[in-house]
Amino acid sequence: MKHTKGDLQQMQSLPLSAKILMTKRRIREWYDYWDGQVYVSFSGGKDSTVLLHIARELYPDIEAVFVNTGLEYPEIQSFVKTFDNVTILRPKMRFDEVIKTYGYPIISKENSQDIYDARKNPLSRAASKFDENSEYVKKYGARYCLSKWKPILDSDIPISHMCCNVMKKKPAKEFEKRTGKKPILATMASESNLREKIWMMNGCNAFNSKRATSQPLSFWTEQDVLQYIKENNIPIASVYGDVVYKDDSDQMRIEDYGIDGCGTEKLCTTGCNRTGCIFCAFGAHLEKGESRFERLKRTHPRQYEYCIGGGEYVNGVWQPSKEGLGMGHVFDELNKIYGDGFIKY
């Protein structure tokens, strides 16, 4: 049964206690449907830490699977090792190899895929999105017009959405094929338009999709996750700092972490808000205050230098070199097009 955005908003407005019960029900349904042949996709981030905590309250022996891409904060990798029954997978390609083969992850996963597809086929539907006068844009409206990103399309920067597919999804799918186990993921519909659309199409438990997945936190929000961590006193990776109320945190973040408060949210972390892949630039242009790359420079200077430095032109195409990923040049080019500070680093 398909859902509406109104259904999602109604579920998101429920108290956390109700959401926990609903999440447990979704996990039980998934576990029973697949006769226990399931696993928790565990990134070491705060969302998947909450998911694993809930799942192991129901099934203490449920397996967790961590894909070690080499792109996680060192604190995340150390944190994962504190858990029992965690299977560690590794991708077959390094991040620099993915960039050389496909391109850099910038703007968003959806936009980078359109740029990638448009370059491969200038007559494709993806290519028509970059022309504000195309029949596609006239039919579907300005919301689907990507003319803003046409200068990037025409640049010499290789761009792609493939890093997540190659470095995370492929190892996980190979594991699923080998074991027959089905994943439980910690993704939430509030994280992106794409995830919201997927939830409206499949709900939390996508039994019949091409890749069967359960996403029992789909209707949770960031505040729900932080509230659950605080109320249950769950340890999280040290890179996040502590979960605190806003009124108690602003001065702490400025004095101890150099971060300008936590916005208007009731709860926030005193360290990083999101972790994920430390070199990923998806959404970096939307960040307010200290950017993820400015923070990386302050907290992990060695990783920052590798990310920003290096790079070289090979046959007219910019790509990583032995010295580093060369993302500083990529950001400089974007800042030339869209103005200084478009991506702060």
Side-chain angles (χ1 to χ4, degrees):
M1 182 182 71
K2 290 188 177 182
H3 301 274
T4 67
K5 191 165 185 174
D7 294 332
L8 177 61
Q9 291 172 338
Q10 183 178 26
M11 294 174 73
Q12 287 174 331
S13 68
L14 293 171
L16 179 59
S17 57
K19 291 180 178 179
I20 294 170
L21 292 175
M22 293 173 70
T23 291
K24 288 183 175 180
R25 189 180 307 128
R26 301 293 190 276
I27 293 173
R28 287 194 192 96
E29 291 169 353
W30 191 253
Y31 189 95
D32 292 343
Y33 187 89
W34 299 109
D35 296 323
Q37 292 299 297
V38 301
Y39 74 91
V40 174
S41 179
F42 182 46
S43 70
K46 63 183 187 300
D47 300 348
S48 65
T49 299
V50 167
L51 175 62
L52 186 60
H53 186 268
I54 295 173
R56 285 189 170 172
E57 280 190 335
L58 298 173
Y59 307 106
D61 297 327
I62 195 169
E63 183 177 15
V65 174
F66 172 64
V67 181
N68 187 347
T69 64
L71 302 174
E72 297 80 16
Y73 282 99
E75 295 90 339
I76 292 287
Q77 299 195 38
S78 298
F79 179 67
V80 168
K81 293 177 182 177
T82 66
F83 289 79
D84 296 328
N85 194 19
V86 177
T87 297
I88 298 178
L89 309 177
R90 288 180 172 81
K92 294 177 181 177
M93 293 180 72
R94 300 189 311 269
F95 186 53
D96 63 309
E97 294 174 329
V98 174
I99 292 175
K100 288 178 182 179
T101 304
Y102 300 105
Y104 290 92
I106 61 172
I107 309 303
S108 73
K109 188 176 293 185
E110 295 90 338
N111 291 160
S112 61
Q113 180 172 357
D114 284 326
I115 291 171
Y116 182 78
D117 292 344
R119 284 174 169 174
K120 289 184 67 176
N121 182 3
L123 299 178
S124 65
R125 183 178 69 175
S128 67
K129 295 180 182 181
F130 295 89
D131 179 3
E132 60 186 352
N133 296 313
S134 69
E135 292 302 317
Y136 180 89
V137 172
K138 290 178 181 178
K139 180 177 180 180
Y140 294 102
R143 180 183 175 186
Y144 296 94
C145 180
L146 301 181
S147 59
K148 176 181 179 180
W149 308 121
K150 192 172 188 307
I152 303 178
L153 175 67
D154 297 336
S155 74
D156 60 8
I157 302 170
I159 296 166
S160 170
H161 60 297
M162 290 295 291
C163 52
C164 186
N165 293 342
V166 173
M167 303 198 73
K168 289 186 176 180
K169 290 184 180 179
K170 187 174 181 180
K173 289 178 181 178
E174 289 174 348
F175 171 82
E176 292 159 20
K177 185 176 181 180
R178 184 171 70 252
T179 64
K181 292 189 173 184
K182 307 299 182 183
I184 306 175
L185 310 174
T187 54
M188 295 184 289
S190 61
E191 293 173 323
S192 70
N193 289 331
L194 179 61
R195 287 179 175 175
E196 182 180 288
K197 290 176 183 177
I198 291 173
W199 181 85
M200 288 191 289
M201 185 179 302
N202 298 315
C204 294
N205 288 340
F207 293 107
N208 299 314
S209 64
K210 187 175 181 181
R211 180 193 179 201
T213 59
S214 173
Q215 291 144 93
L217 300 184
S218 287
F219 48 89
W220 286 44
T221 66
E222 177 84 359
Q223 284 294 291
D224 294 323
V225 170
L226 295 174
Q227 183 182 343
Y228 187 94
I229 291 168
K230 193 164 184 67
E231 290 182 355
N232 293 276
N233 196 29
I234 299 174
I236 55 177
S238 61
V239 71
Y240 288 110
D242 300 316
V243 175
V244 296
Y245 287 98
K246 178 180 182 296
D247 291 343
D248 300 330
S249 69
D250 285 349
Q251 195 59 35
M252 181 191 307
R253 287 166 71 90
I254 294 170
E255 292 177 354
D256 297 342
Y257 295 91
I259 302 172
D260 295 331
C262 57
T264 59
E265 298 300 331
K266 183 179 179 182
L267 286 167
C268 65
T269 54
T270 56
C272 287
N273 178 43
R274 308 294 297 178
T275 51
C277 298
I278 59 177
F279 303 140
C280 178
F282 285 149
H285 62 294
L286 301 175
E287 293 176 328
K288 308 294 184 183
E290 183 183 53
S291 75
R292 71 189 70 173
F293 295 106
E294 290 174 320
R295 185 183 308 123
L296 186 67
K297 182 179 182 179
R298 176 171 52 79
T299 61
H300 297 77
R302 184 172 63 84
Q303 287 87 348
Y304 173 83
E305 290 300 329
Y306 175 72
C307 173
I308 299 300
E312 59 187 354
Y313 277 104
V314 177
N315 298 323
V317 177
W318 184 256
Q319 63 180 33
S321 64
K322 292 181 180 179
E323 291 73 29
L325 298 175
M327 295 187 73
H329 172 75
V330 176
F331 298 158
D332 286 342
E333 293 301 303
L334 292 173
N335 289 337
K336 286 178 185 177
I337 297 171
Y338 297 104
D340 289 340
F342 180 73
I343 291 184
K344 297 179 292 182
Y345 74 98

